[in-house]
Each structure stands twice: as structure tokens, then as C-alpha cells.
């Protein structure tokens, strides 16, 4: 690992992380919000490209891409509640604004004032869209993004299925998955073990990471802050099906349609170019995702489902397409790439194809 500091201010401290790829460095950076762990590669004077991970992951889910972008200053932080960053609570009532503000604080601490190219996966995509609502960016790349209307409990037009947004938020998590993460379960003993969850939902069914890399990624997920202020967050009892409504803290509540809404990008001026990449076999963000309560209810897994008129399966991809269509109609540039056969993480299970699309996009991206 290079001994060169990330910033001349001295506020970043080199941080040893085992088995980093050649050319990738790690540091802990003290910001005016929280202490953040970040991976970096490329020249200090390179154009900044920042990768923001999704729920139940860390910056290391991008590490394999970083040495392949040698012209850019590439950063991949661990966001609040995940990885090796300070285990600070997440205020869900702000949606993903805590993540957006943390990212801004990180870039300021590193002395980066040029508008960055931002890449966000799933939850991270909603966070970078939130960042762009308040600050200039060079481009936005969305990987399997959370719907612009949030995750769970909404009709196609974004209207909530219940007035308290029941069917979304922290109470919809699988408690066995949460328990096993909290206990550090790295096994494959149960469908709820995070190793099996990762292989079932992050990648295409045909993809498997090499054993050492799989172990590393499992270890990264097990660094998640669990509980009412982290994953999944707190919950409120609801008189509406399925009996749980979002609380006010933690990541799943931040993703609830009660608080998560990035439709405002349609009104951005100027409009950064947008690249939307999506796996055709994505099970997490899909029209009728098996993880979303409308689909779960229709399957009979949770009794009392009020039916498709009252609580339909959320058409997430259709919602993304509609909002980005309005963005383009309002003068923005949107490039869409669906990677055939890829799962929720095309940057992982179709890395070569995804990187080719991304680098081509970067070569032409500019603020309009």
C-alpha cells in the first residue's frame, strides 16, 4: 500500500486493510461529521470518481474496478453504518441525506472541490441523487437504483398503499438475517446466512465469486451496524397490513417511501448526464421483487394481504424508467444499459461489460 497521504492537510491517516489490490490504498478520514474509511486509487490530481455502495455492503464491493480506472482519482468510502467507518446512527427522517452530507464532508476533508462523477449502487444510487439535489456533480451513474419513490408500499404513481406507509421500513426485514449478521455468522448453514443471501440476491444465479473474494465480501457485510439506528432500523406498529410502518432511524426506514424520494432530479438545473445500468435478472430492484411486501403478500407468505388494488407489487423498474424519462424530456441526457442475465450487482457479476459501458460514459460526460 502506498504511504502517500490522501490529502496534504494531514487529516487522513493511512489505514492498513489486508489483501488490498495493487494500486488501492485505504485511509481513515476525519471529517466534520464522522470518521470515514475510504479506499482510493489513481493520481491525486485526477478527476474525482466516487463509488457509493448499497445496503449491506461496503466500499470493497468496488475494489476490483478501481485499478482499472487509472486516469481518475477513485474513492470508495464505507458509508455511515457500514464497514470500518464510524458506527454513527442514521436519521431516516432525512431519507439518505445523512449519506449525502457525509459524502460532501468527505470530499471537503480531502480538499476535492471539483464536481465529482458519482456512482451509486442500489441504496447508494438514491444517496447520490440526494447529493445532486443540493450540489453540483459531473455525472450520475445509477446501478440497480432504489425506485425514485422509495422501497415498498407504494402504487405505480408513488402514492402510499397506506397513510402511514405500512409495508415499508425497518419492520419488513427478515429478523433471522438481522440476527445472524449481528452474531457474525459467516456460514452457509441457513438461507438467512448472509453468505447465502449475498449469493442469492446480489449476483446472477450463474455467478459465484472466487472463494477468497467471497469470504472477504461476507466479512465486509458482517461489519454492518445492526439494530434500531442501523440495519434494519426501528419500526412502528400499524393498523394497516402487514402491521408494521416505518420508524425514524436506520437504513430501511431511510429507504421507505415516507422519507426516500429522488424524483426531484427532474427539476435540476443544470442537469448532469445520467447513466442507468441494470441487470435483467435483478431480484432486489424489479417490477415485482420477491423482497417487496406487495409480492410477498401475493405469494401468501404473510396472511391478510388486502389484494392487488390496495397493495400491489411495486413496479420499481417501471418507476425508474418513468422518472428518468421525465428527466430526459426536461432536457437531461440519460443513457440506459440493461445487462442481460446480470443480477442486482452488474458491476460484480458482469464487471468487464459494466466497466466498458461506464468508461465510455465517462469519456463523454459533461455538465449541461
Amino acid at each position: 500500500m502506498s504511504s502517500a497521504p490522501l490529502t496534504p492537510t494531514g487529516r487522513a491517516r493511512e489505514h492498513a486493510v489486508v489483501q488490498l489490490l495493487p494500486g488501492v490504498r485505504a485511509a481513515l478520514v476525519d471529517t466534520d461529521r464522522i470518521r470515514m474509511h475510504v479506499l482510493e486509487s489513481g493520481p491525486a490530481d485526477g478527476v474525482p470518481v466516487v463509488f457509493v455502495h448499497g445496503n449491506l455492503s461496503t466500499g470493497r464491493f468496488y475494489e476490483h474496478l478501481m485499478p482499472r480506472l487509472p486516469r481518475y482519482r477513485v474513492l470508495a468510502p464505507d458509508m455511515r453504518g457500514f464497514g470500518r467507518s464510524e458506527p454513527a446512527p442514521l436519521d431516516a427522517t432525512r431519507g439518505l441525506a445523512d449519506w449525502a452530507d457525509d459524502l460532501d464532508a468527505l470530499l471537503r476533508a480531502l480538499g476535492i472541490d471539483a464536481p465529482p462523477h458519482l456512482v451509486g449502487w442500489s441504496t447508494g444510487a438514491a444517496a447520490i441523487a440526494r447529493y445532486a439535489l443540493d450540489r453540483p456533480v459531473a455525472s450520475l451513474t445509477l446501478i440497480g437504483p432504489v425506485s425514485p419513490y422509495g422501497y415498498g408500499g407504494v402504487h405505480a404513481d408513488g402514492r402510499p398503499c397506506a397513510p402511514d406507509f405500512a409495508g415499508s421500513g425497518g419492520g419488513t426485514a427478515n429478523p433471522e438475517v438481522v440476527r445472524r449478521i449481528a452474531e457474525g455468522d459467516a456460514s452457509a448453514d441457513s438461507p438467512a446466512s448472509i453468505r447465502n443471501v449475498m449469493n442469492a440476491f446480489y449476483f446472477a444465479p450463474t455467478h459465484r465469486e472466487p472463494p477468497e473474494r467471497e469470504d472477504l465480501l461476507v466479512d465486509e457485510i458482517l461489519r454492518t451496524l445492526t439494530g434500531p439506528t442501523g440495519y434494519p432500523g426501528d419500526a412502528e406498529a400499524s393498523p394497516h397490513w402487514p402491521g408494521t410502518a416505518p420508524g425514524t432511524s436506520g437504513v430501511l426506514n431511510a429507504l421507505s417511501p415516507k422519507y426516500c424520494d429522488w424524483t426531484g432530479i427532474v427539476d435540476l438545473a443544470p442537469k448532469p448526464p445520467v447513466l442507468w445500468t441494470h441487470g435483467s435478472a435483478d431480484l432486489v430492484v424489479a417490477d415485482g421483487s420477491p423482497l417487496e411486501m406487495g409480492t410477498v403478500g401475493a405469494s401468501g407468505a404473510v396472511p391478510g394481504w388486502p389484494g392487488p388494488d390496495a397493495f400491489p407489487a411495486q413496479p420499481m423498474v417501471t418507476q425508474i424508467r418513468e422518472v428518468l424519462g421525465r428527466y430526459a424530456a426536461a432536457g437531461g441526457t440519460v443513457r440506459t444499459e440493461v445487462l442481460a442475465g446480470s443480477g442486482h450487482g452488474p458491476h460484480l457479476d458482469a464487471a468487464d461489460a459494466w466497466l466498458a459501458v461506464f468508461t465510455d460514459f465517462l469519456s463523454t460526460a459533461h455538465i449541461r
Side-chain angles (χ1 to χ4, degrees), residues 226-241:
T226 56
T229 64
Y231 178 81
D234 60 352
E236 297 287 341
S238 172
H240 307 285
W241 185 88

Side-chain angles (χ1 to χ4, degrees), residues 16-330:
V17 180
V18 297
Q19 299 176 331
L20 285 172
L21 294 176
V24 179
R25 307 176 292 279
L28 290 171
V29 182
D30 291 317
T31 79
D32 56 21
R33 288 177 57 80
I34 63 171
R35 175 173 291 175
M36 298 187 72
H37 178 265
V38 60
L39 301 183
E40 185 191 35
S41 66
D45 59 352
V47 173
V49 174
V50 185
F51 288 89
V52 181
H53 64 78
N55 189 18
L56 295 180
S57 59
T58 71
R60 292 203 79 173
F61 280 71
Y62 293 117
E63 181 189 5
H64 61 297
L65 303 174
M66 297 174 70
R68 301 176 65 180
L69 294 163
R71 295 174 47 203
Y72 299 94
R73 183 178 187 183
V74 183
L75 301 171
D78 293 346
M79 302 306 293
R80 177 183 296 245
F82 296 94
R84 295 169 175 80
S85 288
E86 182 179 338
L90 178 65
D91 181 356
T93 66
R94 305 184 69 226
L96 272 299
D98 269 354
W99 275 25
D101 291 349
D102 289 346
L103 186 59
D104 176 64
L106 174 65
L107 296 181
R108 287 188 285 104
L110 296 177
I112 296 173
D113 53 15
H117 294 276
L118 298 181
V119 183
W121 175 30
S122 196
T123 298
I128 66 171
R130 183 65 181 79
Y131 181 103
L133 293 180
D134 298 322
R135 307 165 183 91
V137 299
S139 71
L140 294 172
T141 295
L142 313 175
I143 308 173
V146 168
S147 166
Y149 299 106
Y151 201 99
V154 290
H155 294 271
D157 60 3
R159 290 178 296 114
C161 297
D164 59 359
F165 294 84
S168 68
T172 64
N174 183 330
E176 181 67 7
V177 172
V178 178
R179 181 184 71 81
R180 286 176 177 269
I181 293 173
E183 293 176 356
D185 174 26
S187 76
D189 294 345
S190 162
S193 298
I194 199 61
R195 183 181 301 272
N196 292 330
V197 171
M198 180 179 74
N199 283 313
F201 291 102
Y202 290 29
F203 316 130
T206 56
H207 179 81
R208 193 77 181 241
E209 292 286 305
E212 297 81 3
R213 171 77 170 164
E214 180 176 297
D215 289 345
L216 183 154
L217 296 181
V218 168
D219 179 72
E220 291 293 299
I221 299 172
L222 292 177
R223 296 176 183 275
T224 297
L225 172 66
T226 56
T229 64
Y231 178 81
D234 60 352
E236 297 287 341
S238 172
H240 307 285
W241 185 88
T244 182
T248 60
S249 63
V251 66
L252 289 194
N253 293 313
L255 291 171
S256 164
K258 186 173 183 178
Y259 307 118
C260 180
D261 181 350
W262 54 271
T263 60
I265 68 164
V266 171
D267 300 319
L268 281 180
K271 287 179 165 57
V274 173
L275 170 64
W276 171 29
T277 61
H278 213 100
S280 69
D282 191 340
L283 296 177
V284 178
V285 176
D287 287 1
S289 166
L291 301 181
E292 189 272 327
M293 290 305 299
T295 306
V296 172
S299 75
V302 177
W305 178 59
D309 292 336
F311 206 118
Q314 183 181 355
M316 301 178 190
V317 172
T318 298
Q319 291 172 333
I320 298 164
R321 185 176 295 112
E322 186 270 332
V323 169
L324 292 182
R326 288 197 279 126
Y327 185 86

